[in-house]
Amino acid sequence: MTATRTGTRGWRLAGATGALAVAALALAACGGESGDSAGGGGGGAVEPDTTDITIAPSGDPQSGGTITYGIEAETDGWNPTSNRWAISGYMVGSAVFDPLAAYDADGVPQPYLAESFTASEDFLTWTIGVRPDIEFHDGTPLDGAAVAKSLEAVRTDPLTGASLANIASVAVDPAEPMAVTVTMTDPWASFPAALVNQVGYVVAPAQLDAEAAESSARPIGTGPFVFEEWVPDRSWKGTRNESYWRTDEAGNQLPYLDAVEFVPVPDNQNRYNGLLTGDLQMMHMTNWLVIDRMRSEAEAGTIQFVADQGENEESFVLLNTEKAPLDDVRVRRALALCTDRDVVFEVSGTPADYAAETQFREGSPWFEPDNGFPATDVAAGSALIAEVEAETGPVSFSLGTTPSPDNEAVTGTLASLWEACGMEVELKTTEQGTFIADAVTGNYDANLWRQFGAADPDGDYLWWTSKNANPIGQLSLNMARLRDEQVDEALDTARASDDPEVRKEAYSALQKRQSELIPYVWLGHTQWAVGAADDVRGIGNGTLPDGQPSSPFEIGRHRLTETWLEQG
């Protein structure tokens, strides 16, 4: 057996960019109100200053107080084995649950609720050592059986199961009750990176055994805050876990806060206004126009501003490659050719430097500069549409988004660009829960979307593999429903290896093939930022259980375990 507790194998390459953030395994991470983060091609706003503006503590952390946090959307429930979590879902989930793994400051997955990870040489078997002397909020001890039950619940769920489909079995030896043996179908060298995400959040057996509605509504974890109340679309409240297993470096009990409240405020400006008026003490944001205002306000000394400097998601148009007319690659290529991202820039306020050609930003160790994504060429796009129309008639489809003025402005702009190339576009606006459900069942043509923020690209495997491209009407995590042998070969080659060069070459091949088939029309790379009142300290993830620094953010989400309020 090869010990990999400190991440010395292939996933360390993720640290080459200096603190990459986390993988977006949550299904709902794709469906937020982020048309505001659509990318551009070089003609929009200049790159903003995303330097943090914070107030240093005047002394040691203080205990007490409540933080009300404004999140961008509501979530359909709090069972990580079955519900759909966006970034907002992770914010709440990280208050009540702990993940088995979390990223360190170099973007390497480290044990968190787990104590160790150990892999066989062929990466077909992993052993998770469970951290001792921890209890769930209901007093049940955390042990190998509880971890195994949580992983099995993921594996057997029709929604989340695809994320762990490569697991053949999960077992606990009665002689070693704090060790979980996970056996893979195919080699999985980057398995701990998957456990940073929703599927790695460990749920109490009692919650898993509860009736479905109760299980989703009343979470029981090992986390820093104990569930108190949830009023959907109004607030989620949690109180301090007096028996939490973590302490700070001075031995003080964590968390510092007495309570947290998360309030969904979908409108960007209203969320920001809540911070300015004091109704909210913290809030997160991806809207570039509001981010600029946040920073200006922070420079004036009214609030604090912190930007996620790691890997973030991409904004793009998700295309249903199984549904006419978008099942024709010529139409998909025409959409890319007819998308003038300079024009989209002017609407979204996205900086020119954030334009996207692939799911990896320039500077990422995975980015392939010669990826082949089509540059804007309206004449070539119009010619393709004319060619298709001569064979099959008018090219007509719908373009969907969620109910946000920012999103609707971007989809309206895209529709105008595409109609100028000869296409007919119907605009649709759908509430976020339905919007996501329609995507996974194939009930859409094209959608404005946000996703793919994995620090280790294997975290996005489930969205791209043909194994998850099910027919329309069935749940499909490969929502583009693209089935391609070359894409699958690249993904499987990268997953099976811990050799950085092998993996880089595989992901280069992936990007080139996606640029040929165009399941996505790339727009831009997003930017998450957090605003906080002047008395908030410890903005970000803080430390890992062993005391080393954690990655400050994970695609905009962060734990409030070491956040505190300075009084007096």
Side-chain angles (χ1 to χ4, degrees):
M1 302 288 283
T2 302
T4 57
R5 177 175 176 176
T6 58
T8 56
R9 304 193 73 89
W11 344 297
R12 184 169 295 280
L13 184 60
T17 61
L20 290 177
V22 72
L25 270 177
L27 179 62
C30 53
E33 36 119 345
S34 58
D36 46 60
S37 58
V46 297
E47 183 177 6
D49 186 352
T50 55
T51 306
D52 295 348
I53 301 176
T54 60
I55 300 172
S58 61
D60 295 333
Q62 302 169 359
S63 294
T66 298
I67 280 181
T68 302
Y69 197 114
I71 52 179
E72 66 168 354
E74 185 58 279
T75 302
D76 68 348
W78 312 112
N79 184 339
T81 72
S82 60
N83 289 119
R84 296 170 292 193
W85 288 6
I87 303 302
S88 298
Y90 271 102
M91 287 300 303
V92 177
S94 294
V96 72
F97 298 106
D98 290 310
L100 286 167
Y103 284 110
D104 66 17
D106 291 322
V108 179
Q110 301 289 351
Y112 196 90
L113 193 58
E115 188 173 45
S116 63
F117 300 109
T118 306
S120 61
E121 290 292 341
D122 59 5
F123 298 111
L124 284 169
T125 303
W126 283 87
T127 300
I128 303 171
V130 180
R131 200 176 292 275
D133 304 320
I134 297 175
E135 291 185 347
F136 291 100
H137 298 157
D138 63 358
T140 303
L142 173 74
D143 57 12
V147 172
K149 186 179 180 74
S150 195
L151 292 174
E152 276 294 308
V154 173
R155 231 170 49 94
T156 57
D157 186 85
L159 179 65
T160 60
S163 60
L164 297 182
N166 192 42
I167 294 179
S169 65
V170 180
V172 178
D173 185 341
E176 296 185 69
M178 302 301 287
V180 180
T181 300
V182 182
T183 303
M184 308 298 175
T185 301
D186 298 308
W188 196 350
S190 51
F191 175 57
L195 303 178
V196 170
N197 300 289
Q198 178 175 340
V199 299
Y201 283 62
V202 179
V203 184
Q207 183 182 350
L208 295 175
D209 291 339
E211 182 268 333
E214 178 79 0
S215 181
S216 290
R218 302 187 65 84
I220 308 171
T222 62
F225 298 95
V226 179
F227 168 73
E228 178 183 332
E229 179 186 45
W230 178 36
V231 181
D233 297 314
R234 288 183 57 187
S235 76
W236 187 100
K237 296 179 181 179
T239 57
R240 186 175 191 262
N241 179 3
E242 299 292 346
S243 302
Y244 191 51
W245 56 278
R246 288 199 59 193
T247 59
D248 65 15
E249 61 181 1
N252 299 310
Q253 181 72 41
L254 293 173
Y256 299 120
L257 296 170
D258 287 334
V260 293
E261 180 179 9
F262 296 96
V263 178
V265 186
D267 184 84
N268 292 312
Q269 188 61 51
N270 287 344
R271 196 178 329 129
Y272 177 51
N273 289 343
L275 179 65
L276 296 180
T277 61
D279 293 332
L280 305 173
Q281 286 74 54
M282 299 184 77
M283 61 103 201
H284 59 196
M285 181 65 61
T286 59
N287 181 290
W288 278 109
L289 301 177
V290 178
I291 286 174
D292 287 343
R293 291 194 284 272
M294 287 169 60
R295 180 167 174 80
S296 295
E297 201 73 31
E299 289 174 341
T302 308
I303 63 172
Q304 300 178 85
F305 173 88
V306 179
D308 181 350
Q309 305 293 350
E311 185 75 17
N312 278 279
E313 301 156 307
E314 280 61 56
S315 179
F316 56 95
V317 181
L318 172 68
L319 304 178
N320 191 340
T321 66
E322 195 170 75
K323 189 174 182 182
L326 298 172
D327 58 346
D328 189 328
V329 70
R330 293 174 297 176
V331 176
R332 302 198 299 270
R333 179 164 291 275
L335 288 176
L337 290 166
C338 295
T339 300
D340 187 338
R341 286 174 288 175
D342 291 353
V343 176
V344 178
F345 261 173
E346 298 300 328
V347 174
S348 67
T350 307
D353 193 52
Y354 282 69
E357 297 177 356
T358 83
Q359 56 270 64
F360 306 113
R361 192 174 177 188
E362 188 174 355
S364 164
W366 315 111
F367 176 69
E368 170 51 60
D370 298 321
N371 54 75
F373 187 73
T376 303
D377 187 335
V378 174
S382 299
L384 281 175
I385 294 301
E387 179 181 314
V388 173
E389 286 186 333
E391 298 175 11
T392 61
V395 174
S396 176
F397 58 90
S398 64
L399 172 62
T401 189
T402 50
S404 158
D406 300 312
N407 288 4
E408 292 168 346
V410 171
T411 54
T413 300
L414 289 169
S416 296
L417 293 170
W418 296 341
E419 287 172 344
C421 279
M423 296 172 256
E424 299 175 8
V425 184
E426 175 192 1
L427 294 175
K428 294 178 63 176
T429 300
T430 310
E431 178 273 328
Q432 178 169 294
T434 303
F435 186 67
I436 297 170
D438 285 346
V440 297
T441 55
N443 184 29
Y444 79 100
D445 296 333
N447 278 344
L448 187 64
W449 210 252
R450 187 188 74 217
Q451 204 176 7
F452 309 149
D456 187 307
D458 186 70
D460 289 322
Y461 177 103
L462 73 165
W463 312 116
W464 302 325
T465 177
S466 297
K467 298 172 187 176
N468 293 339
N470 295 321
I472 290 176
Q474 298 181 21
L475 288 175
S476 177
L477 295 190
N478 179 341
M479 286 160 284
R481 286 171 165 77
L482 180 71
R483 301 176 184 88
D484 183 70
E485 292 182 359
Q486 293 182 42
V487 167
D488 292 341
E489 181 181 2
L491 291 172
D492 292 337
T493 298
R495 168 167 280 193
S497 177
D498 66 344
D499 184 325
E501 292 305 315
V502 170
R503 302 189 77 211
K504 181 175 176 59
E505 183 177 351
Y507 288 123
S508 174
L510 170 71
Q511 293 166 76
K512 292 177 180 179
R513 186 59 173 163
Q514 286 178 332
S515 291
E516 293 174 7
L517 300 180
I518 315 201
Y520 319 112
V521 176
W522 302 112
L523 298 174
H525 305 283
T526 64
Q527 173 68 61
W528 280 95
V530 172
D534 281 352
D535 59 348
V536 176
R537 304 290 181 265
I539 303 171
N541 279 324
T543 61
L544 296 172
D546 64 3
Q548 69 171 304
S550 179
S551 174
F553 294 93
E554 300 167 354
I555 323 177
R557 72 200 199 213
H558 59 107
R559 300 180 289 275
L560 298 178
T561 309
E562 296 175 71
T563 301
W564 55 284
L565 295 171
E566 188 161 59
Q567 305 165 16

